[in-house]
Amino acid sequence: MRSWSIPVGRLFGIEIRIHLTFLFVLAFVWGNDKAQDATGMLRGLAVVAIIFGSVVLHELGHALVARGSGIPAKGIILLPIGGVTILDEAHAIPDPLNSWKRDIRIAVAGPLVNLVIAGLAALVLLAAVPGFSLTARPLLHSSSLLRSFVWVNVYLGLFNLLPAYPMDGGRALRGWFTRCMDMVQATRRAVRIGHVFSVLFMMVGILVGDWWLVMVGLFLFFGAQLEERSAIFQSVLQSVRLEEVMLTDFATLSPADTLEDALEKAVHTLQDDFPVVRGSDMVGVISKQKILDALRAEGNGYVQAVMQGQFDVAAKQDSLASAFRKLSARNLSIIPVVDEQHLIGIVTLQNLMHSMALLAETRKLRRAASE
Ligand SMILES: [Zn+2]
């Protein structure tokens, strides 16, 4: 998703990006308003700006509350259907006892920002702008930008509070469920409720001939399904121990090896990353690519001089999820697995990709066999 978006700025240290499909919305507004004069067109664009400004405020609500409760936000991406806040779970401060409270707080923060802003704006406008009517029709139109601002925020707040997963209200509901069940069960239950809502939306949409409602229903339906799948994937990552997937048959290098020797050894294995071992001590890690680069740049030398001396180790009972977090957080490609100071295996990105696919297959087979 990130690769299809362009950065447009930072607010409170959080990067704001616009997804390229958003340009279609602008083109749509442009095309729709072609008949109008220049001011009409500008007002049309102003409405789009109001909507997306309000969406940014909504997402900032999620992002800032998340950051305040220990989960940094990587950024906000604006999509035509709304915004997404990407949270950096890898750097989250773990809080297993209160994580459901934290999830609810983060989910509710976005809609709350919109409702508070709508309330404040309404009060200020009613007091400061003579003859301003909050309830004159149409509520949302380019002919009254101020009124539109209030109602856009009311809509955004209320719509997102629907208890229909993956809307914010549904997320809060899932947080509430995780008090007494695990994440997968809670997500399943929230998804079922979300599906009821999405079908309702579609039915009402078809009955009254409102295709926009049908679209919202479809979006909710597939959104819920996608989220369910990612929750299941996460739980697999949580439940698999490193000893189930680590490579136990692997090559090591010595810091005293020359780079040419190291390359020679590397040729005879499929490994891309090697632990560097002196006697029984782990002293570093090095990749095939690094060996090649060093050979090209400076000619032959010793592994000692090129290896990475800073590395993370894991225990065999650690979860696959924690290994992924370590790999991505420190931009590593290998994690040695140690047991009582002894190197008993390695986990590499390359081997994780392979074993994930295999693991999925064995689980499927096991499930088929038990049915
Ligand atoms: Zn939200």
Side-chain angles (χ1 to χ4, degrees):
M1 186 143 51
R2 224 181 130 79
S3 54
W4 283 90
S5 59
I6 42 173
V8 289
R10 275 177 173 278
L11 278 174
F12 302 101
I14 295 162
E15 189 179 44
I16 316 273
R17 302 174 75 92
I18 287 190
H19 200 260
L20 287 176
T21 49
F22 181 68
L23 296 176
F24 288 115
V25 178
L26 285 181
F28 181 76
V29 172
W30 201 264
N32 252 15
D33 280 355
K34 226 183 274 170
Q36 294 184 10
D37 54 12
T39 39
M41 209 121 104
L42 277 181
R43 280 180 167 271
L45 285 179
V47 172
V48 175
I50 284 174
I51 294 174
F52 279 85
S54 307
V55 171
V56 169
L57 291 172
H58 174 105
E59 298 303 328
L60 273 177
H62 290 307
L64 293 179
V65 169
R67 189 162 74 183
S69 25
I71 310 178
K74 278 186 185 163
I76 290 169
I77 300 182
L78 294 178
L79 297 157
I81 46 162
V84 186
T85 299
I86 313 276
L87 295 180
D88 189 358
E89 311 270 0
H91 289 95
I93 300 166
D95 186 8
L97 276 180
N98 289 310
S99 73
W100 65 275
K101 283 186 199 158
R102 172 155 83 180
D103 290 348
I104 293 179
R105 263 202 312 271
I106 296 172
V108 172
L112 224 53
V113 165
N114 291 122
L115 293 178
V116 168
I117 284 178
L120 288 178
L123 285 180
V124 169
L125 289 171
L126 284 174
V129 182
F132 178 78
S133 163
L134 206 54
T135 48
R137 305 290 159 133
L139 296 176
L140 210 175
H141 194 262
S142 60
S143 59
S144 173
L145 295 176
L146 294 175
R147 186 164 56 238
S148 296
F149 177 75
V150 174
W151 285 105
V152 161
N153 278 286
V154 170
Y155 284 138
L156 270 177
L158 292 183
F159 182 62
N160 278 290
L161 276 180
L162 280 179
Y165 198 77
M167 309 300 292
D168 294 329
R171 281 176 201 280
L173 200 63
R174 179 180 69 168
W176 181 250
F177 290 153
T178 53
R179 276 174 314 129
C180 48
M181 57 181 85
D182 67 35
M183 197 54 141
V184 173
Q185 277 176 306
T187 306
R188 285 224 168 97
R189 189 177 282 192
V191 163
R192 270 203 300 278
I193 297 173
H195 277 166
V196 171
F197 269 93
S198 56
V199 170
L200 268 178
F201 268 105
M202 286 189 265
M203 272 168 33
V204 172
I206 290 168
L207 279 177
V208 302
D210 186 341
W211 292 108
W212 191 78
L213 271 182
V214 179
M215 287 282 290
V216 169
L218 275 174
F219 159 69
L220 281 180
F221 193 89
F222 289 113
Q225 220 140 16
L226 273 180
E227 294 274 345
E228 184 177 19
R229 239 170 262 161
S230 98
I232 292 172
F233 180 70
Q234 282 300 327
S235 87
V236 170
L237 289 187
Q238 288 293 351
S239 67
V240 174
R241 309 285 118 207
L242 287 188
E243 57 188 330
E244 296 178 64
V245 290
M246 68 186 183
L247 295 176
T248 48
D249 190 13
F250 56 92
T252 62
L253 295 173
S254 151
D257 283 341
T258 64
L259 293 174
E260 276 173 8
D261 288 343
L263 193 63
E264 175 71 16
K265 276 192 201 171
V267 169
H268 296 289
T269 139
L270 286 172
Q271 248 166 276
D272 278 341
D273 301 273
F274 301 87
V276 183
V277 180
R278 183 190 290 127
S280 60
D281 293 333
M282 265 288 309
V283 290
V285 293
I286 193 168
S287 68
K288 200 186 271 183
Q289 194 56 47
K290 199 110 179 250
I291 298 173
L292 274 173
D293 290 346
L295 272 172
R296 269 194 215 114
E298 290 140 36
N300 203 5
Y302 289 96
V303 166
Q304 169 98 48
V306 185
M307 71 183 190
Q308 205 177 337
Q310 292 266 334
F311 54 90
D312 249 321
V313 295
K316 62 180 179 178
Q317 61 273 23
D318 284 357
S319 73
L320 201 49
S322 79
F324 258 122
R325 269 200 292 275
K326 279 182 182 165
L327 285 170
S328 67
R330 302 183 109 210
N331 222 347
L332 306 167
S333 49
I334 177 173
I335 292 183
V337 183
V338 293
D339 190 27
E340 292 171 358
Q341 314 279 345
H342 288 299
L343 179 65
I344 54 166
I346 58 170
V347 170
T348 69
L349 260 186
Q350 182 198 17
N351 117 255
L352 281 187
M353 296 305 159
H354 288 291
S355 44
M356 283 308 292
L358 263 176
L359 219 71
E361 281 307 312
T362 41
R363 282 182 184 229
K364 239 186 262 171
L365 285 173
R366 231 180 275 160
R367 211 177 311 138
S370 67
E371 268 166 12

